[in-house]
């Protein structure tokens, strides 16, 4: 690695790649360093690769020119140098941490042992292209797969594995699927979608351990003592921000690396963006905020912050979208608070036959949350109303128009 670069970005995921590309467009040289073997890719689309719908190269991100492979292991803040696992180092004026998240590995009996620190054969996280290719290589029709976790990741993985012909059981600890984003009726539609595709879903079901023979998984053990035979296990139990580098360097870290409105950490020469960053108490763990933070930081570093971003980063109000694609895809969008408080207006449309459900929550004259499943015609208009945080029009139109008028989306 050369040592005369001034902006150094660690992490070639969604946030790091977007930042490096924008900086290149703005004429600011930056070095991007990533530790994954693969060409940078769009992580959000990994389930499509697992389902066999896209080849890995289809989800590649347009790569910036100055991309280097390496794993940053230490930041020397006094010397302003970042050190890499291969012994090399690189000097920076500004260092940007875009190190993303790690999967949560649940404390399951049998997952690790004193003599084995790798996951047993057949057990995979679902975060990286390597995870995805590992799973993809192991899945074949009839394979017994158990997905642990029924959030966005677990639901996507279960759907993709079922599409590849696996016999899939999804074990969700809480009472419904995707509880962070969806309300009970919307979760019920996702459950029905999975069941229609042959996925067996168990809610309120806690997995206690895994049993391995000869280093390979054989079964999954539930808290009630029930045992499920398994050839393949996917751990989809959430993520936590990857903050080790920042922590070791003595930066302020809570859940994520704490940043201000200029995405500056407690060291003014180090910024952080994406899943690893915590802004105004929030760690988003979603693509849209990671990309918005990258855009804002590019403007700040280039000194060309566009109107509207001049004040820095003020938080992201973006919808979470997920498509469970297949012959009949199921589209989902969720934002804000889908559960009303007393006094809120709730507008809801459900069509059990078509499997659609739409709901928005309005407080005073503002849209505060919503869920759309199966019918996303109004998503553009709702996204604009939500993201702009504007008062809703008071022209006498019934609030139902929020769900029936697509507003040109
Ligand atoms: C299967 C899947 C589906 C998802 N679906 C959705 C979705 O539908 N909607 C949504 O909004 N979000 C979704 N997400 C979340 C979304 O992918 C993340 O929010 C987004 O990728 C965050 O971008 P990032 O750049 O901060 O982190 P990442 O994309 O994780 O990139 C971080 C990169 O930094 C590298 N790195 C870390 N430490 C070092 C180091 N020390 N040295 C060098 N490199 C390092 C990592 O290897 C990684 O390549 C999904 C995630 C997964 C895994």
């Amino acid at each position: 690695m050369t040592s005369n670069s001034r902006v150094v970005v660690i992490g070639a995921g969604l946030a790091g790649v977007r930042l490096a590309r924008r900086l290149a467009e703005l004429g600011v040289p930056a070095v991007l360093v990533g530790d994954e073997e693969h060409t940078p890719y769009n992580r959000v689309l990994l389930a499509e690769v697992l389902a066999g719908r896209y080849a890995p190269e289809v989800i590649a991100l347009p790569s910036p020119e100055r991309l280097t492979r390496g794993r940053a292991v230490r930041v020397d803040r006094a010397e302003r140098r970042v050190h890499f696992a291969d012994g090399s180092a690189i000097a920076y004026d500004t260092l940007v941490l875009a190190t993303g998240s790690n999967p949560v590995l649940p404390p399951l009996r049998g997952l690790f042992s004193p003599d084995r620190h790798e996951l047993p054969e057949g057990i995979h996280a679902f975060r990286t292209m390597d995870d995805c290719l590992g799973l993809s290589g192991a899945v074949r029709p009839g394979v017994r797969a158990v997905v642990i976790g029924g959030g966005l990741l677990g639901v996507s993985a279960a759907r993709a594995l079922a599409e590849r012909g696996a016999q899939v059981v999804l074990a969700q600890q809480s009472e419904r699927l995707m509880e962070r984003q969806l309300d009970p009726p919307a979760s019920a539609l996702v459950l029905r979608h999975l069941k229609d595709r042959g996925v067996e879903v168990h809610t309120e079901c806690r997995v206690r351990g895994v049993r391995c023979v000869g280093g390979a998984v054989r079964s999954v053990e539930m808290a009630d003592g029930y045992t499920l035979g398994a050839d393949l296990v996917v751990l989809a139990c959430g993520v936590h921000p990857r903050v080790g580098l920042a922590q070791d360097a003595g930066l302020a870290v809570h859940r994520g690396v704490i940043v201000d409105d200029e995405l500056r950490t407690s060291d003014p020469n180090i910024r952080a963006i994406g899943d690893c960053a915590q802004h105004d108490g929030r760690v988003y763990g979603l693509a849209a905020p990671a990309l918005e933070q990258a855009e804002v930081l590019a403007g700040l570093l280039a000194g060309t912050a566009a109107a509207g971003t001049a004040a820095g980063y003020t938080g992201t109000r973006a919808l979470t979208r997920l498509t469970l694609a297949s012959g009949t895809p199921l589209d989902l969008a969720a934002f804000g608070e889908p559960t009303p408080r007393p006094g809120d207006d709730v507008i809801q449309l459900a069509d059990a036959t078509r499997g659609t459900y739409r709901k928005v929550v309005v407080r005073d004259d503002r849209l505060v949350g919503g869920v759309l499943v199966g019918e996303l015609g109004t998503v553009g208009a709702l996204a604009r109303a939500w993201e702009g945080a504007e008062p809703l029009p008071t022209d006498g139109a019934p609030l139902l128009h929020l769900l029936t008028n697509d507003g040109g989306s």
Side-chain angles (χ1 to χ4, degrees):
M1 276 175 216
T2 57
S3 57
N4 55 358
S5 304
R6 300 326 251 169
V7 177
V8 177
V9 183
I10 305 296
L14 280 181
V17 168
R18 174 65 66 89
L19 173 65
R21 278 186 45 224
R22 281 287 178 268
L23 287 175
E25 286 164 17
L26 294 167
V28 179
V31 172
L32 175 66
V33 191
D35 65 354
E36 292 191 65
E37 289 291 315
H38 307 271
T39 307
Y41 57 89
N42 185 348
R43 204 171 297 285
V44 168
L45 296 175
L46 280 178
E48 308 294 319
V49 175
L50 180 57
R53 206 165 306 111
Y54 293 162
E57 52 277 16
V58 173
I59 69 163
L61 293 170
S63 250
E65 276 166 32
R66 302 185 74 193
L67 169 65
T68 308
R69 186 164 303 145
R71 188 162 57 83
V73 290
R74 187 168 67 84
V75 178
D76 183 334
R77 290 166 52 199
E79 293 281 324
R80 283 201 214 154
R81 291 174 82 78
V82 53
H83 293 262
F84 295 89
D86 65 2
S88 63
I90 196 166
Y92 64 84
D93 286 329
T94 297
L95 180 69
V96 181
L97 301 176
T99 50
S101 303
N102 277 329
V104 169
L105 299 179
L108 300 181
R109 193 187 293 167
L111 196 56
F112 295 109
S113 60
D115 56 334
R116 179 172 40 70
H117 302 288
E118 303 274 286
L119 287 175
E121 194 186 319
I123 303 188
H124 302 258
F126 189 37
R127 176 75 196 172
T128 65
M129 181 64 87
D130 278 345
D131 295 334
C132 179
L133 296 179
L135 273 166
S136 197
V139 66
R140 50 189 55 82
V143 150
R144 298 166 306 166
V146 177
V147 177
I148 305 178
L152 188 148
L153 277 188
V155 166
S156 317
R159 177 72 196 80
L161 291 171
E163 206 166 319
R164 295 281 301 275
Q167 292 172 33
V168 186
V169 175
L170 187 154
Q172 161 73 326
Q173 188 161 332
S174 70
E175 63 185 14
R176 59 193 163 86
L177 298 173
M178 291 182 68
E179 56 174 355
R180 273 182 62 195
Q181 289 91 11
L182 303 182
D183 65 354
S187 285
L189 282 181
V190 173
L191 177 81
R192 192 174 101 187
H193 179 86
L194 289 181
K195 284 189 166 168
D196 286 351
R197 273 131 198 98
V199 177
E200 193 180 314
V201 179
H202 297 268
T203 51
E204 296 181 86
C205 163
R206 197 170 66 77
V207 174
R208 184 168 61 187
V210 289
R211 199 175 65 84
C212 300
V213 176
V217 67
R218 287 286 182 271
S219 60
V220 168
E221 198 184 288
M222 306 302 176
D224 62 7
Y226 190 77
T227 296
L228 272 175
D231 309 304
L232 208 56
V233 172
V234 182
L235 303 174
C237 306
V239 294
H240 51 73
R242 203 160 154 179
V243 295
L245 205 55
Q247 227 153 16
D248 293 347
L251 299 177
V253 172
H254 181 224
R255 275 186 307 135
V257 185
I258 294 174
V259 293
D260 65 12
D261 290 354
E262 296 198 336
L263 299 158
R264 225 183 272 278
T265 67
S266 54
D267 178 333
N269 301 310
I270 305 181
R271 317 276 184 131
I273 55 173
D275 276 14
C276 71
Q278 176 172 338
H279 174 264
D280 199 17
R282 289 193 68 176
V283 173
Y284 288 91
L286 290 170
L291 295 173
E292 186 177 347
Q293 290 169 7
E295 295 282 345
V296 171
L297 183 57
L300 289 168
L301 294 180
T304 60
T309 61
Y313 179 70
T314 52
T316 299
R317 291 168 68 85
L319 280 86
T320 304
R321 289 194 65 161
L322 176 68
T323 298
L324 296 173
S326 66
T328 348
L330 184 68
D331 285 315
L332 307 167
F335 59 97
E337 302 170 42
T339 306
R341 289 193 206 152
D344 289 348
D345 285 315
V346 178
I347 304 101
Q348 195 164 306
L349 286 175
D351 182 334
T353 317
R354 291 173 60 226
T356 65
Y357 173 73
R358 290 169 278 172
K359 166 176 147 184
V360 289
V361 179
V362 175
R363 184 169 307 146
D364 302 324
D365 60 352
R366 312 275 161 152
L367 191 58
V368 293
V371 183
L372 305 176
V373 182
E375 168 56 71
L376 266 60
T378 51
V379 74
L382 287 175
R384 282 191 290 280
W386 157 251
E387 289 165 16
E390 300 288 332
L392 295 169
T394 50
D395 56 6
L399 286 172
L400 192 62
H401 82 281
L402 288 169
L403 293 179
T404 51
N405 172 4
D406 74 6
S409 69

